[in-house]
Amino acid sequence: MKLQTLLFSMLVALPVAAQTIPIRTDHTDLILKVAPNHRLYQVYLGERLLDVGEYDHLDWDVYAASDASVSQRGWEVCNTGGSEEFYEPALGITHTDGSQTTYLYYRGHETKAVDGGTETVIRLADDQYPVQVTLHYVAYPREDVIKVWSEILHHEKAVKRAGSIAADGCIALQAIHSTILYFRRPSYYLTEFSSDWAREAQMSSQQLQFGKKVVDTKLGSRAAMHAHPFFEIGLGQEVRETQGEVLMGTIAWSGNWRYTAEVDNAGALRILPGLNPNASAYRLRPGETFRTPEFIFTLSRNGTGQGSRNLQSWARRYQLRDGMGPRMSLLNNWENTYFNFDQEKLTRLMKEAKTLGVDMFLLDDGWFGNGGHARNGDSAGLGDWDVNRSKLPGGIPALCDAADGAGVKFGIWIEPEMVNPRSDLFEAHPDWAIRLPNREYYTYRNQLVLDMSNPAVQEYVYGVVARILTDGHDSSGQRDINGDARVAYFKWDCNSPITNAYSPYLGDRQSNLYIDHIRGVYNVMRRVRENFPDTPMMLCSGGGARCDYEALKYFTEFWCSDDTDPVERLYIQWGFSQFFPAKAMCAHVTDWNRQAPVKFRTDVASMCKLGFDLGLRHLSADDLAYCQQAVANWKRLQPVILDGEQYRLVSPYDGNHMAVNYVSQDRRHAVLFAYDIHPRYKEPLQNVRLQGLDADRNYQVEEINLMPGQASSLKGNGQVYSGDYLMKIGLEAFTQNGLQSRVIEIKGL
Ligand code: GLA
């Protein structure tokens, strides 16, 4: 008998003190049990039980009563396939001897306090192979959020057999999920979030029947362009905003993720979020720990509204970079100038930023590349991060000086993971790009993806970022007199998926490319955050194709979409708000949809992190005065809009209007946003009933963000109402006018 097998049989001979492992939040119980066979099962996931003594009634053998033929099957917490379990495995391993079956036995667990909650760490191991799996659950009681991931470690020996892929001692991870969750309900409804360029976060729903529904991405980089890594599942009824049980989950991974919702033969739903196995059987070296992406979920019994507030406040407190901090309003030059600018033009725009009243000027694409590789369009220069000397002879320091002179901060765009074949970088390091050595390459937006699995490339990319952040230094150092970094902000873009998937660096370990590439991206992002902790950064990916909670550990906000048509934005922002707080969602006022008044466009952007991307010279005096007032109001109301609780009141998916209100944490202050999109002639209008107010408090209602000289036509404007009235009767905030918006401040007395 092998020593390991011997040790294990000694271990299993010990009495298992009916191990129950509760993962608890204020309203949710996830209860796991070690069964007599020493394996770990989910015995309950649902509303928190009042009496923990009743955990004893929960049976691991969930099928016993209904189907004796499968009585040995429970809901295994890390099911591995190839045993008595016939459905999609959470973890699939090919061992060095070729066996594809893993049995995981409970070896122990610990709990410890972590920021905001409790982490439970459960150790499992195989009895025949030196493979350990460690499950991590962090429960955040107040927010009702659970974050879960696992780690895989092995010490298998190399198998020296002709043709064996395991000659290097690697096991192959065929299926890698962060977890598996099980439910048994009468019906299940999935809401998914599909996407495309300028069409992000589109919500659609369907009932799940027997079999699998799989949503995934294979884009590698810019990975969430066609589907976003989050979903909602209505348990027992369709997903609703204010009632019903709903699971809301999101995979924290910027690369190829996949989630599977599978209804099995017994009518149970299995949910498997994790990595996409496509072309990614990960070869894991002995002694190396593989960490899955985090999966974050909340279980709401009051619909998605409550679930979103859970996730939003969890993100602000524990995951989003500087989640509790303020955010800067800005003026961006992209749609105003595209690649056509010089120092003088930018200096003028910086002054416009000051006139507008925003905090920062953000210089977009087009400031770098020289000679034949000047970035005057999107076909050259990516990778060459030296300032274009003919456009900007004074470089970044001169831009910082001009911003200082104008009295605004200076931010800059980069896309450091990419390269144009027409660049000095590509000419010097063709092997740094992901591309096949033996085929013509295919470019997307004229660019290739740098091979971030290569440490030399990571070093280069980090160096680019660090150099730009310190390049604006003056004689007093890299900080201005107020102590702020002179380059005060980054917009970090990522415009191409991985094409020509081959890493010149990884050699015969190509199946690790999609995962190691993203890990390399995170290595750089982590280093940037560590060394420049005070620099806020916008995550951008040709719009909103990077919108996950791993990247958002390193970024303060993300660009939701290049589509800034305010009507489309009502849908896009509605979609993203399901999972993200307003302060993480960048929204800019642009010239998309000029039929919509500037007021409408600005009011839509004011629901999130406000910015502008238009030339002030094209604004009428009234529009400019309006925008200045709206910026000042937005800054004043940040504690309500960005840090308050959000209540989605009227969905644009339901008709011709949309309304959302935000309430400050102390419930003394609220802001209602109401929009009329395309009301029908004589359409009967409903009052907008607010949510989240203090029923016993009186509030004064005042319409703000009015055009100069415009009097409010809101019935009851200036009056005092109780929270009770505003929540039960509401305000006549909607009108029959197309593209009209109202912003209403509700001040507690
Ligand atoms: C992407 C971004 C835009 C802009 C351009 C610049 O498309 O989403 O906001 O920065 O790149 O090339």
Side-chain angles (χ1 to χ4, degrees):
M1 191 185 272
K2 282 193 282 182
L3 179 65
Q4 192 190 347
T5 317
L6 181 71
L7 286 173
F8 180 78
S9 23
M10 286 162 64
L11 223 160
V12 293
L14 299 171
V16 180
Q19 288 285 1
T20 298
I21 307 173
I23 320 279
R24 311 194 82 190
T25 69
D26 282 356
H27 299 98
T28 299
D29 268 354
L30 170 60
I31 310 297
L32 315 178
K33 266 191 188 180
V34 182
N37 64 4
H38 298 264
R39 285 157 63 181
L40 185 69
Y41 295 86
Q42 177 190 311
V43 294
Y44 180 70
L45 173 53
E47 186 166 5
R48 183 175 162 134
L49 299 185
L50 294 178
D51 178 2
V52 297
E54 296 207 289
Y55 292 160
D56 289 348
H57 302 316
L58 296 168
D59 202 347
W60 72 275
D61 189 355
V62 292
Y63 289 90
S66 58
D67 187 349
S69 68
V70 285
S71 62
Q72 284 307 301
R73 254 173 69 198
W75 286 344
E76 192 160 12
V77 167
C78 186
N79 72 341
T80 44
S83 54
E84 71 276 13
E85 165 63 43
F86 310 116
Y87 287 85
E88 192 69 28
L91 177 64
I93 295 176
T94 302
H95 300 280
T96 51
D97 67 359
S99 166
Q100 299 195 91
T101 299
T102 304
Y103 282 70
L104 293 173
Y105 295 91
Y106 171 78
R107 290 292 174 86
H109 77 278
E110 297 87 36
T111 56
K112 59 181 178 199
V114 293
D115 187 22
T118 304
E119 179 171 355
T120 303
V121 181
I122 306 170
R123 285 170 285 114
L124 309 173
D126 196 304
D127 61 333
Q128 297 297 323
Y129 294 92
V131 172
Q132 294 156 33
V133 176
T134 311
L135 312 177
H136 296 258
Y137 295 85
V138 181
Y140 299 88
R142 190 161 47 143
E143 295 80 14
D144 278 318
V145 165
I146 296 174
K147 173 159 105 172
V148 51
W149 71 96
S150 36
E151 286 169 354
I152 302 138
L153 171 69
H154 78 97
H155 295 283
E156 295 198 11
K157 294 271 179 295
V159 174
K160 303 253 184 297
R161 233 187 6 234
S164 168
I165 60 149
D168 54 2
C170 288
I171 62 172
L173 304 179
Q174 312 284 358
I176 313 170
H177 293 101
S178 309
T179 192
I180 177 169
L181 300 177
Y182 302 85
F183 293 94
R184 191 203 297 277
R185 300 289 192 280
S187 56
Y188 314 99
Y189 296 84
L190 171 71
T191 296
E192 56 195 322
F193 295 78
S194 71
S195 176
D196 207 334
W197 177 77
R199 221 182 127 68
E200 288 84 347
Q202 304 294 309
M203 298 169 67
S204 55
S205 301
Q206 61 189 273
Q207 183 168 8
L208 296 171
Q209 306 284 4
F210 173 76
K212 275 186 224 170
K213 166 79 186 180
V214 176
V215 179
D216 72 352
T217 171
K218 301 185 188 71
L219 295 163
S221 187
R222 195 177 175 166
M225 178 159 57
H226 297 154
H228 296 321
F230 34 86
F231 57 85
E232 300 171 346
I233 296 191
L235 297 164
Q237 66 165 58
E238 287 177 34
V239 172
R240 302 247 168 83
E241 185 67 32
T242 54
Q243 49 115 332
E245 193 181 22
V246 58
L247 173 82
M248 299 172 68
T250 173
I251 305 166
W253 187 250
S254 310
N256 289 352
W257 49 263
R258 179 177 86 165
Y259 66 81
T260 305
E262 182 169 29
V263 179
D264 69 16
N265 60 320
L269 174 68
R270 295 138 178 270
I271 297 163
L272 296 108
L275 292 170
N276 193 333
N278 175 63
S280 291
Y282 194 88
R283 291 176 63 190
L284 183 67
R285 291 195 177 99
E288 208 179 293
T289 298
F290 187 98
R291 188 183 151 123
T292 70
E294 295 171 356
F295 175 64
I296 297 124
F297 70 93
T298 187
L299 195 58
S300 163
R301 271 154 297 280
N302 302 305
T304 45
Q306 182 61 55
S308 296
R309 287 188 290 283
N310 293 348
L311 291 164
Q312 290 164 356
S313 70
W314 165 81
R316 281 192 301 253
R317 288 193 183 114
Y318 309 115
Q319 191 94 353
L320 175 67
R321 179 169 171 189
D322 195 22
M324 301 301 277
R327 294 294 185 267
M328 287 194 275
S329 53
L330 61 84
L331 177 68
N332 188 196
N333 69 311
W334 175 239
E335 298 198 8
N336 189 3
T337 67
Y338 293 104
F339 297 95
N340 179 18
F341 54 78
D342 56 18
Q343 171 84 31
E344 197 189 326
K345 205 185 245 187
L346 297 182
T347 304
R348 200 184 69 234
L349 294 180
M350 290 171 187
K351 291 182 184 147
E352 291 191 0
K354 183 67 181 174
T355 304
L356 197 53
V358 296
D359 302 300
M360 183 193 17
F361 172 74
L362 171 61
L363 172 58
D364 215 284
D365 196 355
W367 58 267
F368 49 88
N370 282 288
H373 297 149
R375 182 77 171 169
N376 292 323
D378 63 13
S379 62
L382 266 188
D384 301 345
W385 298 101
D386 288 322
V387 167
N388 182 293
R389 291 285 158 190
S390 41
K391 289 183 192 175
L392 303 167
I396 292 177
L399 292 166
C400 292
D401 287 346
D404 282 351
V408 290
K409 299 204 183 300
F410 176 70
I412 200 163
W413 178 96
I414 47 166
E415 193 181 358
E417 303 154 54
M418 302 282 161
V419 63
N420 283 130
R422 286 184 52 212
S423 66
D424 296 353
L425 181 68
F426 187 74
E427 284 175 6
H429 297 285
D431 56 327
W432 280 9
I434 294 180
R435 70 182 180 120
L436 292 145
N438 53 353
R439 295 183 198 276
E440 282 295 298
Y441 55 78
Y442 170 84
T443 56
Y444 188 100
R445 207 195 188 207
N446 308 308
Q447 62 198 60
L448 295 169
V449 180
L450 287 176
D451 180 5
M452 298 294 289
S453 69
N454 182 344
V457 179
Q458 293 173 30
E459 196 58 38
Y460 171 79
V461 172
Y462 173 74
V464 165
V465 176
R467 185 160 52 81
I468 295 168
L469 279 175
T470 46
D471 196 22
H473 71 278
D474 56 16
S475 52
S476 65
Q478 67 185 65
R479 295 181 172 264
D480 71 12
I481 40 171
N482 300 319
D484 296 316
R486 299 201 77 212
V487 172
Y489 185 88
F490 257 130
K491 174 179 178 181
W492 181 313
D493 214 333
C494 164
N495 277 304
S496 176
I498 290 180
T499 53
N500 328 288
Y502 182 89
S503 158
Y505 171 75
L506 284 172
D508 66 353
R509 293 156 64 89
Q510 292 300 319
S511 59
N512 289 11
L513 171 59
Y514 282 115
I515 294 170
D516 283 352
H517 173 77
I518 294 298
R519 288 178 167 172
V521 171
Y522 291 150
N523 284 344
V524 175
M525 290 176 174
R526 191 177 307 114
R527 224 170 132 190
V528 172
R529 188 188 61 178
E530 281 164 9
N531 292 320
F532 302 95
D534 303 327
T535 307
M537 303 207 299
M538 180 205 290
L539 182 64
C540 175
S541 185
R546 265 190 185 165
C547 48
D548 65 86
Y549 272 120
E550 184 62 29
L552 285 171
K553 286 179 180 170
Y554 313 114
F555 287 79
T556 46
E557 55 224 53
F558 71 98
W559 180 228
C560 299
S561 178
D562 282 349
D563 188 341
T564 45
D565 174 332
V567 174
E568 292 303 320
R569 273 287 180 145
L570 289 178
Y571 293 85
I572 291 169
Q573 293 171 193
W574 185 271
F576 279 126
S577 78
Q578 310 281 319
F579 287 86
F580 300 101
K583 68 165 41 168
M585 293 166 50
C586 300
H588 295 177
V589 182
T590 72
D591 276 337
W592 282 54
N593 191 353
R594 285 176 198 236
Q595 284 175 343
V598 165
K599 170 175 162 54
F600 189 90
R601 289 182 249 160
T602 309
D603 289 350
V604 170
S606 294
M607 287 190 291
C608 299
K609 211 221 79 164
L610 177 63
F612 289 78
D613 192 353
L614 41 68
L616 296 200
R617 285 188 305 178
H618 304 133
L619 293 183
S620 69
D622 275 359
D623 280 346
L624 176 59
Y626 168 80
C627 289
Q628 290 166 324
Q629 180 208 152
V631 168
N633 278 334
W634 182 83
K635 286 182 170 181
R636 181 174 61 82
L637 294 168
Q638 272 210 24
V640 186
I641 300 170
L642 299 193
D643 293 312
E645 298 288 336
Q646 184 199 58
Y647 295 83
R648 290 183 298 262
L649 306 173
V650 178
S651 169
Y653 285 92
D654 289 343
N656 297 320
H657 307 273
M658 191 270 207
V660 165
N661 77 260
Y662 296 86
V663 183
S664 65
Q665 295 295 338
D666 64 7
R667 296 199 293 162
R668 287 169 178 264
H669 204 172
V671 185
L672 168 64
F673 293 89
Y675 306 89
D676 306 306
I677 306 172
H678 298 296
R680 307 269 312 269
Y681 177 63
K682 283 190 167 183
E683 177 183 304
L685 298 175
Q686 299 289 322
N687 278 11
V688 177
R689 288 186 287 164
L690 282 84
Q691 293 176 30
L693 300 176
D694 179 349
D696 297 326
R697 181 178 292 283
N698 282 334
Y699 295 87
Q700 181 161 36
V701 167
E702 189 194 344
E703 182 171 3
I704 59 170
N705 282 18
L706 291 160
M707 289 298 288
Q710 181 197 355
S712 172
S713 59
L714 176 72
K715 189 173 160 202
N717 191 41
Q719 282 189 22
V720 173
Y721 299 93
S722 68
D724 182 55
Y725 182 95
L726 291 170
M727 292 192 289
K728 288 181 179 158
I729 313 284
L731 294 171
E732 292 182 23
F734 290 143
T735 76
Q736 300 215 329
N737 305 325
L739 299 176
Q740 177 162 321
S741 54
R742 275 184 168 143
V743 182
I744 301 167
E745 190 173 350
I746 320 273
K747 283 186 277 197
L749 299 175

